[in-house]
């Protein structure tokens, strides 16, 4: 198929490289340098989608980021992506795209029935229509809306593409490479400032690529190219195309999305698909230009009605005609520029100008070229369903209220220009309170809030000469402040055509007896009548009108609709636009892919992975790992075809009968030094610490100020002023911050230093009745007898030439020791333990067996210390000193903490001694009680007791102290289980704690 | 993302810090008899100010010092930062 709407010559596309692509299953051809939109228009395709609410046919309205309609589903390299603007997507060989928001097809769309049942979807239709009856919401309304609405389908597959984040600092960030961006970047760069110049399109130059101007005896485009090539050579300048600065955040941080690979058939090896730049800039120059404003008339959403600037861009950049019989409808001189471009390419446009008698260089040029112009004329309505086929036009009275006789003229497109709206989104996001500029009927940035300066069209300056002058000066002055250089740049000679005043007219009145829909917001299907209804119903604040009607919402953020919407509200309310005010501009300015936001923090990379020095040994010995905080810990060591249950039972049993060794490197360790170290511990822990002798360890519990248990662990006195604290794996970082808080802010008079040594020491717990014999083998020169190294004792020694610390402490309730060596020697230590332990049947055990051992002993851990329990609840109240004050003590006499039936830890055994109890289940008195069944407590941890060979659980139970011996029910609605149980002591094994002391 | 000047390390990005709440809260002295109300005020009750607020931040991924930051809670403007023991006039 030929590209019937492609000009023979012209445009910035590469005609030597023809590309094939598919749209809705049909194959077309375009050229390198096309967008999907320009290539489709070149092939005469104007119907690309259906509108959001009424499912009216949708074509192209813009040529870039301003496009409200042409949103497609893209297929690239076996991946699919929704919400892609055809006007921004660059063409590549093999590109495939499909229409969205239409079912079953773009040409025959069921939802279009909404269009003929207009009453069905007025303003606020979601709020009104789908409210009643309530039961209909899930069954009828929601599925209907989900099927009928939406702008594409997100892929459910794992995204294999790579996205990167980059942090950058610069002196000046310049957003937009039009005339103001180029001039300010050039001046600042010449002054030695570190500059980042960002352009969202593939080509630099902005409006210079399409306007008929001359700078320094070069065409606008040539001047732009020469400036860009010079900037690219400078070491202090970063020039980025396909890069949208979409958000202005606090403290001059901006975020930019760089589309690195989206324009290629597939991402190159070692390249990301997109890159998100976090840029902290000393100064920000906003040169984001302006977007043409639509004119509002009947059926102004018909495919073929588009912005006149877009028509000009398709012509000049892509060599594409949006129509061969164009009508230009304008209230200012910009429409003339488009008409002149048509005329120069052999097309005869007709201009309808709402103005009575405009006089300017451009108007005269159009007249001289023989273009047919009708002054005081307007388009009343576009005709044609899937494409404009004609226009109803009429002469309009000077007060713009009365229409004369309506005539119909044939045309295949209507190019509209309602003057220009500065793109002030970034300035507004920075906190700049915008102001209304009467001369251009639009908002421009007011006083700068952060270090931002808005230039050129974005600042409401529409002449090239003034724009360039301002921008050179801004670039020079701002960079001078930073670099102290003062290189003057000679100002180039500028030739441009002078424009005349635009007409404030923006909305064509409805002719008598007609009820055409006149659209304001093209993306969200908001028409004049919707705003009228909202105001009639009492909505006044523009923010409320926005939400009720959806005006200016969603991905479009009111790019084309904002001002006309405000204009309408102010007309009806008889206010001026600034009194109505505008809605908040929120980042992102354009949609950003979730992948880019997430960056590389996906899956395993979402947090660091810490491995102990013994990790490789565990791997070699079939360890199955589990995440413990950021650590990977062996959960169990699989032998043959063992299950988790079988393996952990074997490992735990071996600890109870022989000896086991567990990697405890992950426990938090904090080194505490200083003359006041004992005093700090005494204030941090609930028990007494001042009298702990050197060479002894003590178990301690620390509270938060609100009395809740924060963490537990042992701390050992290494020497007079030196302590070694251990914390749980999970709380290690919080405990360190906690200590630092009190030392730095609350008690700075304490002379103590704390530092994390978690990763400096490798730890192995050796537990079981034969552990002493094994220890003796490891340290043959030490007396490790019960007298030489008693329970809670500590000694320093030498493990075959390696410095070692030996603690007689126990997690498992068995006779146990913990050996620490410097991390580098961890692997050596572990292998020695395994080697010398062979004769005692040593086996490594993982976290699952460790849990079993501690649960049946009634030792509390993370699942009991859950941020809701106090010492009493976990039977740690014996460690509360009555003699001294400590963190959180004052909270302990709170009413709830001292009530007689306070919750307490208990043991739970199923009556059948067989059924395992799911963790998290509730304990209830009566399994048959009507819902909601009163919960008495919950199961915090479960295991299979290796000592008793039956299931055993710990629970936090109301009035637990008096519940021992009671029969209750465990209910787990999740697992659909009801289990009759008996409440027993939490100390299920060795209740007197004799083994650890043996 | 805020840009916070650590008095020890200089300008750093917010993600190196953790927030520590109202810096004007003073922990009651140890072993001092105080009313329930006083204690509750220390543990739970905080003003939610709009405007200038003196607050604590810890330079967690830096020097690990707790610092005081004078920040506007509405605009995020940071007026000044102080070392923990610095006199604030
Ligand atoms: Zn610091």
């Amino acid at each position: 198929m030929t590209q019937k709407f492609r000009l023979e010559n012209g445009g910035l596309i590469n005609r030597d490289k023809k590309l094939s692509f598919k749209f809705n299953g049909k194959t077309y051809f375009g050229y390198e340098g096309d967008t999907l939109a320009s290539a489709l228009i070149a092939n005469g395709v104007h119907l690309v989608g259906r509108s959001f609410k009424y499912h009216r046919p949708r074509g192209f309205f813009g040529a870039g980021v301003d496009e409200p309609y042409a949103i497609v589903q893209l297929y690239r390299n076996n991946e699919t992506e929704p919400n892609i603007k055809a006007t921004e997507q660059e063409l590549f060989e093999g590109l495939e795209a499909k229409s969205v928001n239409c079912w079953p097809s773009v040409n025959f769309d069921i939802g279009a029935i909404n269009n003929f049942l207009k009453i069905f979807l007025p303003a606020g239709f979601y709020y009104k229509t789908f409210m009643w009856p309530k039961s209909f919401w899930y069954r009828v309304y929601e599925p209907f809306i989900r099927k009928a609405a939406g702008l594409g389908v997100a892929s459910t597959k794992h995204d294999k593409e790579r996205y990167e984040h980059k942090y950058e600092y610069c002196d000046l960030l310049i957003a937009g490479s039009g005339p103001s961006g180029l001039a300010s970047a050039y001046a600042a760069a010449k002054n030695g400032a570190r500059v980042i110049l960002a352009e969202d399109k593939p080509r630099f130059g902005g409006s210079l690529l399409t306007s008929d101007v001359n700078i320094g005896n070069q065409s606008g485009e040539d001047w732009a190219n020469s400036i860009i090539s010079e900037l690219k050579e400078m070491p202090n300048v970063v020039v980025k195309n396909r890069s949208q600065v979409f958000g202005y955040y606090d403290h001059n941080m901006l975020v930019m999305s760089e589309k690195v690979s989206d324009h290629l058939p597939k991402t190159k090896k070692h390249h990301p698909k997109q890159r998100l730049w976090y840029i902290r800039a000393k100064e920000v120059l906003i040169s984001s230009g302006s977007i043409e404003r639509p004119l509002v008339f009947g059926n102004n959403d018909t495919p073929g009605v588009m912005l006149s600037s877009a028509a000009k861009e398709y012509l000049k950049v892509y060599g594409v005609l949006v129509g061969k019989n164009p009508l230009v409808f304008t209230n200012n001189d910009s429409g003339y520029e488009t008409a002149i471009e048509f005329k120069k390419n052999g097309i005869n446009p007709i201009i309808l100008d709402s103005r009575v008698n405009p006089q300017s260089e451009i108007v005269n040029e159009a007249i001289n070229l023989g273009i047919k112009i009708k002054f005081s004329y307007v388009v009343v309505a576009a005709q044609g369903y899937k494409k404009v086929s004609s226009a109803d036009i009429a002469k309009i009275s000077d007060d713009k209220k009365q229409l004369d006789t309506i005539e119909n003229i044939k045309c295949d497109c209507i190019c509209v220009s309602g003057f220009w709206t500065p793109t002030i989104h970034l300035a507004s996001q920075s906190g700049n309170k915008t102001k209304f500029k009467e001369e251009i009927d639009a908002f421009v940035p007011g006083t700068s809030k952060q270090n931002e300066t808005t230039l050129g069209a974005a600042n409401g300056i529409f002449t090239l000469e003034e724009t360039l002058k301002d921008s050179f000066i801004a670039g020079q002055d701002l960079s001078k402040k930073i670099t102290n250089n003062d290189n003057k740049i000679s100002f180039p000679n500028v030739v441009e055509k002078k424009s005349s005043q635009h007409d404030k007219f923006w909305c064509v009145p409805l002719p008598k007896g007609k009820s055409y829909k006149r659209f304001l917001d093209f993306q969200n299907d908001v028409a004049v009548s919707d705003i009228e209804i909202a105001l009639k119903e009492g909505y006044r604040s523009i923010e409320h009108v926005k939400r009720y009607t959806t005006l200016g919402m969603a991905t479009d953020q009111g790019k084309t609709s904002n001002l006309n919407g405000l204009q309408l509200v102010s007309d009806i309310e008889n206010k001026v636009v600034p009194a109505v005010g505008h809605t908040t501009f929120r980042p992102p300015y354009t949609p950003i892919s979730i992948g880019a936001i997430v960056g590389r923090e996906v899956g395993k990379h979402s947090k660091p992975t810490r491995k102990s020095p013994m990790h490789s040994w565990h791997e070699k010995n079939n360890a199955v790992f589990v995440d413990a905080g950021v650590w990977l810990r062996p959960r169990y060591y699989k032998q043959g075809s063992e299950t988790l249950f079988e393996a952990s039972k074997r490992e735990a049993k071996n600890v109870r009968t022989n000896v086991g060794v567990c990697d405890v490197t992950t426990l938090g360790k904090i080194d505490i030094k200083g003359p006041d170290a004992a005093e700090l511990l005494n204030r941090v822990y609930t028990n007494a610490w001042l009298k702990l002798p050197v060479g002894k360890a003590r178990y301690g519990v620390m509270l938060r100020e609100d009395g809740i248990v924060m963490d537990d662990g042992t701390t050992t006195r290494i020497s007079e002023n030196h302590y070694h604290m251990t914390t749980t794996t999970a709380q290690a970082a919080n405990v360190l911050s906690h200590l630092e808080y009190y030392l730095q802010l609350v008690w700075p008079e304490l002379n103590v230093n704390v530092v994390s040594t978690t990763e400096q020491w490798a730890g192995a717990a050796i537990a079981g009745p034969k552990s002493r014999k094994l220890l003796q083998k490891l340290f043959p020169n030490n007396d490790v007898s019960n007298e030489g190294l008693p329970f809670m004792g500590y000694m320093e020694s030498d493990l075959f030439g390696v410095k070692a610390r030996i603690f007689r402490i126990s997690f498992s309730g068995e006779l146990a020791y913990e050996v620490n060596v410097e991390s580098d020697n961890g692997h050596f230590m572990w292998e020695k333990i395994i080697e010398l332990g062979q004769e005692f049947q040593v086996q490594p055990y993982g976290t699952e067996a460790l849990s079993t051992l501690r649960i049946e002993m009634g030792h509390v851990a993370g699942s009991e210390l859950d941020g809701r329990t106090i010492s009493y609840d976990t039977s740690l109240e014996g460690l509360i000193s009555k003699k001294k004050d400590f963190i959180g003590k004052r909270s302990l006499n709170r009413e709830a903490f001292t009530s007689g039936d306070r919750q307490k830890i208990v043991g739970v055994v199923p009556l059948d001694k067989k059924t395992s109890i799911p963790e998290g289940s509730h304990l209830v008195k009566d399994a048959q009680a009507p819902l909601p069944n009163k919960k008495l407590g919950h199961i915090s941890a479960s295991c299979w007791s290796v000592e008793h060979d039956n299931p055993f659980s710990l629970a936090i139970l109301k009035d637990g102290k008096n519940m021992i011996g009671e029969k209750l029910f465990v209910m787990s609605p999740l697992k659909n289980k009801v289990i009759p149980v008996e409440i027993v002591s939490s100390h299920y094994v060795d209740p007197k704690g004799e083994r650890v002391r043996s | 993302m805020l840009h916070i000047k650590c008095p020890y390390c200089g300008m750093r990005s917010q993600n190196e810090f953790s927030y520590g709440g109202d810096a004007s809260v003073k922990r009651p002295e140890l072993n001092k008899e105080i009313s329930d109300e006083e204690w509750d005020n220390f543990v739970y009750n905080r003003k939610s100010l709009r405007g200038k607020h003196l607050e604590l931040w810890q330079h967690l991924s830096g020097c690990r010092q707790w610092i005081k930051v004078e920040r506007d809670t509405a605009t995020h403007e940071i007026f000044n930062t102080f070392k923990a023991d610095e006199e604030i006039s």
Side-chain angles (χ1 to χ4, degrees):
Chain A
M1 186 171 167
T2 53
Q3 301 176 39
K4 281 187 295 193
F5 289 83
R6 183 85 68 180
L7 294 167
E8 290 291 315
N9 299 298
L12 308 176
I13 46 169
N14 177 11
R15 289 175 191 263
D16 295 334
K17 193 148 182 210
K18 205 169 165 184
L19 303 173
S20 79
F21 68 102
K22 270 187 186 165
F23 183 66
N24 286 337
K26 202 166 164 186
T27 302
Y28 300 94
F29 292 95
Y31 292 115
E32 187 178 75
D34 261 326
T35 60
L36 175 57
S38 67
L40 283 172
I41 298 173
N43 285 283
V45 178
H46 278 264
L47 180 63
V48 283
R50 291 279 173 164
S51 75
F52 191 65
K53 224 193 283 176
Y54 303 111
H55 287 238
R56 287 162 71 107
R58 285 290 181 253
F60 301 96
F61 194 70
V65 69
D66 50 344
E67 175 62 45
Y69 299 148
I71 290 167
V72 298
Q73 184 88 22
L74 185 76
Y75 299 83
R76 171 181 174 272
N77 192 26
N78 300 319
E79 299 283 343
T80 178
E81 203 178 334
N83 207 10
I84 299 292
K85 285 185 176 133
T87 52
E88 291 192 293
Q89 178 59 51
E90 291 171 64
L91 202 65
F92 54 77
E93 178 60 37
L95 180 149
E96 274 189 73
K98 281 183 187 157
S99 297
V100 297
N101 210 14
C102 50
W103 178 75
S105 82
V106 70
N107 273 303
F108 175 73
D109 177 38
I110 296 249
I113 198 153
N114 294 352
N115 188 28
F116 302 107
L117 298 171
K118 280 173 198 145
I119 194 128
F120 191 46
L121 301 165
F125 80 104
Y126 285 111
Y127 304 109
K128 290 173 183 162
T129 316
F130 299 120
M131 289 306 287
W132 186 90
K134 214 174 167 184
S135 63
F136 266 42
W137 178 253
Y138 294 109
R139 285 189 291 121
V140 183
Y141 297 144
E142 195 188 336
F144 168 77
I145 292 173
R146 285 200 184 283
K147 179 120 192 136
L151 297 169
V153 183
S155 171
T156 53
K157 281 202 300 183
H158 171 70
D159 187 349
K160 290 195 283 292
E161 296 279 359
R162 196 147 61 87
Y163 301 85
E164 281 180 356
H165 286 179
K166 186 175 167 68
Y167 291 81
E168 193 58 271
Y169 289 79
C170 67
D171 295 330
L172 272 83
L173 171 65
I174 299 167
S177 77
S180 54
L182 289 172
S184 53
Y186 190 73
K190 284 284 177 192
N191 251 349
R194 290 197 302 158
V195 173
I196 297 176
L197 175 63
E199 168 60 48
D200 71 312
K201 292 200 167 184
R203 296 174 186 84
F204 296 96
S207 64
L208 293 175
L209 301 180
T210 55
S211 45
D212 188 10
V213 294
N214 199 292
I215 307 171
N217 296 322
Q218 295 180 82
S219 73
E221 188 207 337
D222 288 347
W223 182 79
N225 287 337
S226 66
I227 294 277
I228 281 291
S229 13
E230 203 174 328
L231 287 174
K232 277 182 175 167
E233 294 303 312
M234 297 172 76
N236 52 328
V237 181
V238 173
V239 173
K240 281 281 162 195
N241 58 342
R242 303 187 176 99
S243 297
Q244 177 76 254
V245 180
F246 65 78
Y248 201 134
Y249 298 89
D250 295 303
H251 298 181
N252 255 28
M253 195 190 76
L254 293 96
V255 186
M256 172 172 99
S257 149
E258 180 189 4
K259 294 197 167 163
V260 182
S261 308
D262 295 72
H263 63 293
L264 302 170
K266 66 191 265 195
T267 307
K268 278 191 225 153
K269 212 176 171 187
H270 308 306
H271 282 228
K273 180 163 188 259
Q274 293 171 8
R275 189 179 283 129
L276 212 60
W277 295 57
Y278 292 88
I279 303 170
R280 192 81 71 171
K282 288 196 183 118
E283 296 286 342
V284 178
L285 291 172
I286 301 170
S287 46
S288 46
S290 56
I291 290 175
E292 203 163 22
R293 217 177 297 164
L295 289 167
V296 179
F297 53 88
N299 303 331
N300 57 336
D301 63 329
T302 311
V305 177
M306 67 167 69
L307 293 173
S308 99
S309 57
K312 190 171 71 169
E313 188 167 335
Y314 286 119
L315 245 165
K316 292 204 72 166
V317 176
Y318 304 103
V320 167
L321 293 169
V322 299
K324 293 182 178 174
N325 195 8
L327 192 63
V328 175
F329 177 26
T330 187
N331 73 355
N332 70 98
D333 285 1
S334 298
Y336 287 77
E337 291 177 20
T338 304
I340 290 167
E341 285 305 325
F342 272 119
K343 186 76 184 174
K344 281 182 184 166
N345 284 286
I347 302 290
N348 286 312
I350 300 172
I351 298 176
L352 303 190
D353 191 332
S354 67
R355 296 176 294 183
V356 183
N357 184 23
Q359 299 288 333
S360 79
E361 221 180 316
I362 301 172
V363 174
N364 286 338
E365 187 182 344
I367 294 169
N368 291 340
L369 281 169
I371 295 173
K372 193 171 168 193
I373 308 169
K374 285 168 164 295
F375 295 111
S376 288
Y377 255 81
V378 296
V379 175
V380 177
Q383 298 296 350
Y385 183 58
K386 288 176 189 170
K387 176 78 198 288
V388 170
S389 55
S390 69
D392 291 344
I393 64 168
K395 200 169 169 78
I396 193 163
S397 61
D398 288 0
D399 66 358
K400 315 289 186 197
K401 299 236 163 94
Q402 305 298 322
L403 295 171
D404 214 331
T405 324
I406 292 174
E407 312 153 40
N408 183 273
I409 57 169
K410 292 269 169 256
C411 61
D412 62 354
C413 66
I414 302 173
C415 307
V416 294
S417 178
F419 206 51
W420 296 86
T421 307
T423 303
I424 55 169
H425 295 65
L426 284 178
S428 172
Q429 286 171 20
S430 87
N432 188 312
K433 293 268 174 278
T434 56
K435 61 181 186 200
F436 193 73
K437 196 171 172 185
E438 204 68 47
E439 308 94 273
I440 60 166
D441 297 316
F443 288 93
V444 292
T447 314
S448 298
K449 173 71 184 162
Q450 302 197 41
N451 297 350
E452 100 276 350
T453 310
T454 306
L455 295 167
N459 196 29
I461 310 293
F462 295 128
T463 69
L464 182 62
E465 185 160 10
E466 198 182 343
T467 290
L468 288 177
K469 220 167 228 166
D470 286 355
S471 306
F472 273 118
I473 291 168
Q476 219 155 26
D477 289 355
L478 291 169
S479 56
K480 188 178 151 191
K481 272 203 312 196
I482 297 164
T483 65
N484 290 321
N485 294 335
D486 199 8
N487 289 323
K488 290 269 181 281
I489 291 171
S490 59
F491 187 72
N493 185 41
V494 174
V495 183
E496 65 183 315
K497 285 174 211 150
K498 300 273 175 297
S499 294
S500 56
Q501 184 64 38
H502 77 285
D503 189 350
K504 289 184 181 296
F505 167 81
W506 63 279
C507 182
V508 181
L510 279 180
K512 271 196 192 80
K514 296 283 183 191
S515 60
Y516 299 125
K517 275 212 170 291
R518 295 170 296 168
F519 282 93
L520 293 166
D521 183 320
F522 302 100
Q523 185 171 77
N524 302 303
D525 267 7
V526 182
V528 170
S529 51
D530 294 313
I531 303 286
E532 287 169 349
I533 289 172
L535 291 167
K536 256 185 220 159
E537 291 181 0
Y539 289 88
R540 287 293 174 272
S541 153
I542 190 68
E543 295 283 359
H544 292 161
V545 172
K546 166 180 168 175
R547 276 149 192 89
Y548 195 57
T549 62
T550 69
L551 174 77
M553 305 243 290
T555 67
D556 187 53
Q557 286 289 300
K559 291 182 182 74
T560 49
S561 63
N562 188 33
L563 272 165
N564 285 339
L566 296 179
Q567 192 72 57
L568 177 63
V569 173
S570 62
D571 283 1
I572 298 172
E573 293 277 276
N574 230 336
K575 286 182 186 163
V576 287
V577 172
V580 174
H582 61 73
T583 53
T584 315
F585 295 103
R586 296 183 198 285
Y589 174 64
T590 50
I592 303 303
S593 67
I594 299 288
I597 294 167
V598 174
R600 301 199 64 183
E601 291 170 18
V602 178
K604 272 191 169 174
H605 301 291
S606 60
K607 59 183 194 316
T609 301
R610 283 188 181 169
K611 296 173 180 175
S612 93
M614 290 82 99
H615 188 83
S616 62
W617 190 94
H618 304 323
E619 267 180 336
K620 262 187 233 141
N621 288 274
N622 299 323
V624 177
F625 292 93
V626 62
D627 290 318
V630 292
W631 290 90
L632 272 185
R633 296 189 73 178
R635 191 173 185 191
Y636 63 100
Y637 299 82
K638 192 182 172 97
Q639 290 187 358
S641 59
E642 268 180 340
T643 61
L644 161 71
F645 179 71
E646 290 160 350
S648 60
K649 213 163 128 179
R650 166 182 54 74
E651 291 170 8
K653 202 150 183 79
N654 191 58
V655 173
R656 293 266 184 253
T657 49
N658 297 308
V659 58
V661 56
C662 181
D663 186 346
V664 292
T665 303
T666 63
L667 283 184
K669 304 173 201 75
I670 298 170
D671 210 53
I672 303 176
K673 274 185 179 168
D676 296 321
E679 178 61 28
L680 172 71
L681 295 172
N682 210 43
R683 295 178 186 189
V684 166
Y685 285 127
T686 63
N687 49 344
W689 283 82
L690 296 179
K691 289 181 182 145
L692 181 72
V694 172
K696 278 283 188 183
R698 185 166 285 175
Y699 175 71
V701 174
M702 56 179 82
L703 309 185
R704 313 190 306 215
E705 291 286 17
D706 63 1
I708 299 287
V709 176
M710 179 176 179
D711 199 37
D712 69 338
T714 59
T715 293
T716 306
R717 192 166 192 180
I718 304 286
S719 67
E720 182 63 23
N721 294 327
H722 184 192
Y723 291 79
H724 172 81
M725 176 186 273
T726 65
T727 72
T728 59
T729 302
Q731 290 292 332
N734 291 343
V735 170
L736 183 65
S737 268
H738 181 72
L739 299 180
E740 287 166 334
Y741 175 89
Y742 284 93
L743 285 172
Q744 293 174 27
L745 295 165
V746 185
W747 304 311
E749 68 277 9
L750 292 184
N751 187 357
V752 185
N753 277 303
V754 292
V755 68
S756 166
T757 51
T758 301
E759 290 176 51
Q760 273 60 44
W761 297 99
I766 302 171
K770 296 180 184 168
S771 58
R772 183 176 291 132
K773 286 183 186 152
L774 172 51
L775 197 72
Q776 191 67 71
K777 287 257 170 190
L778 291 164
F779 302 98
N781 301 323
N782 291 96
D783 174 12
V784 298
S785 69
N786 203 19
E787 295 72 39
L789 181 57
F791 180 53
M792 287 300 195
Y794 165 78
M795 63 167 61
E796 286 168 15
S797 185
D798 178 294
L799 177 75
F800 303 101
V802 165
K803 198 176 100 186
R805 289 174 165 184
I806 312 166
F807 307 83
R808 185 166 164 197
I809 53 176
S810 175
F811 300 100
S812 52
E814 285 300 324
L815 171 66
Y817 303 87
E818 190 185 318
V819 182
N820 280 8
V821 295
E822 284 166 1
S823 292
D824 286 354
N825 300 319
H827 199 265
F828 169 78
M829 166 183 69
W830 189 267
E831 289 199 314
K832 272 287 168 208
I833 294 169
I834 297 291
E835 178 197 328
L836 297 175
Q838 286 311 309
E839 60 176 291
F840 310 110
Q841 292 81 45
V842 73
Q843 283 185 21
Y845 64 103
T847 56
E848 199 69 21
L850 181 65
S851 294
T852 295
L853 295 166
R854 70 102 188 152
I855 291 167
E856 64 176 5
M857 279 286 174
H859 289 186
V860 296
S863 45
E864 286 81 32
L865 309 183
D866 62 356
R868 295 179 294 184
T869 48
I870 58 170
S871 295
Y872 174 86
D873 304 348
T874 47
S875 286
L876 298 168
E877 69 271 29
L879 291 172
I880 292 178
S881 164
K882 296 207 168 56
K883 292 187 192 132
K884 57 141 195 174
D885 200 359
F886 52 84
I887 292 170
K889 186 176 190 181
R890 182 65 178 77
S891 290
L892 295 180
N893 57 12
R894 285 172 57 196
E895 208 178 313
F897 289 178
T898 53
S899 74
D901 61 350
R902 177 82 198 169
Q903 60 179 6
K904 199 169 187 59
I905 188 165
V906 294
V908 179
V909 179
L911 293 185
D912 67 359
K913 301 267 174 105
K914 271 191 237 138
T915 314
S916 287
I917 300 172
E919 290 177 345
S921 305
H922 285 187
L923 284 154
V924 299
K925 181 118 199 127
D926 175 7
Q928 308 301 324
L931 295 174
N933 197 343
K934 192 169 160 40
K935 169 199 169 191
L936 301 175
H938 72 275
I939 301 294
S940 57
S942 287
C943 73
W944 187 277
S945 166
V946 288
E947 188 94 358
H948 295 275
D949 202 23
N950 58 253
F952 176 74
S953 297
L954 293 175
I956 304 286
L957 180 63
K958 189 166 178 65
D959 198 19
K961 190 171 69 171
N962 298 313
M963 297 292 278
I964 309 295
E966 293 283 322
K967 304 261 193 315
L968 297 177
F969 294 92
V970 155
M971 296 193 77
S972 173
L974 275 178
K975 307 244 160 146
N976 199 17
K977 270 190 176 177
V978 179
I979 308 163
V981 295
E982 185 181 356
I983 305 304
V984 299
S985 160
S986 60
H987 301 291
Y988 200 42
V989 172
D990 188 24
K992 289 188 183 140
E994 285 161 346
R995 295 182 192 177
V996 291
R997 292 180 172 81
S998 61
Chain B
M1 208 187 297
L2 307 184
H3 214 199
I4 302 170
K5 187 179 176 186
C6 170
Y8 303 93
C9 311
M11 291 302 276
R12 296 300 178 96
S13 205
Q14 183 187 341
N15 47 10
E16 294 186 12
F17 294 84
S18 72
Y19 183 69
D22 189 343
S24 66
V25 175
K26 237 184 114 52
R27 190 192 192 281
E29 275 172 47
L30 289 166
N31 299 306
K32 195 184 155 199
E33 284 281 324
I34 56 165
S35 67
D36 287 351
E37 198 188 344
E38 240 179 294
W39 183 255
D40 280 353
N41 281 339
F42 159 64
V43 177
Y44 298 107
N45 298 330
R46 297 287 181 273
K47 288 190 188 106
S48 181
L49 290 177
R50 182 190 168 88
K52 222 180 229 190
H53 186 231
L54 190 68
E55 54 203 17
L56 293 169
W57 290 76
Q58 187 185 14
H59 194 189
L60 209 64
S61 309
C63 62
R64 295 203 62 91
Q65 293 300 304
W66 284 90
I67 60 167
K68 290 177 185 170
V69 176
E70 195 176 36
R71 181 180 68 105
D72 189 308
T73 57
T75 64
H76 292 317
E77 186 180 350
I78 291 177
F79 307 98
N80 219 334
T81 56
F82 308 91
K83 294 177 180 174
D85 57 356
E86 216 170 311
E87 274 305 316
I88 300 163
S89 51

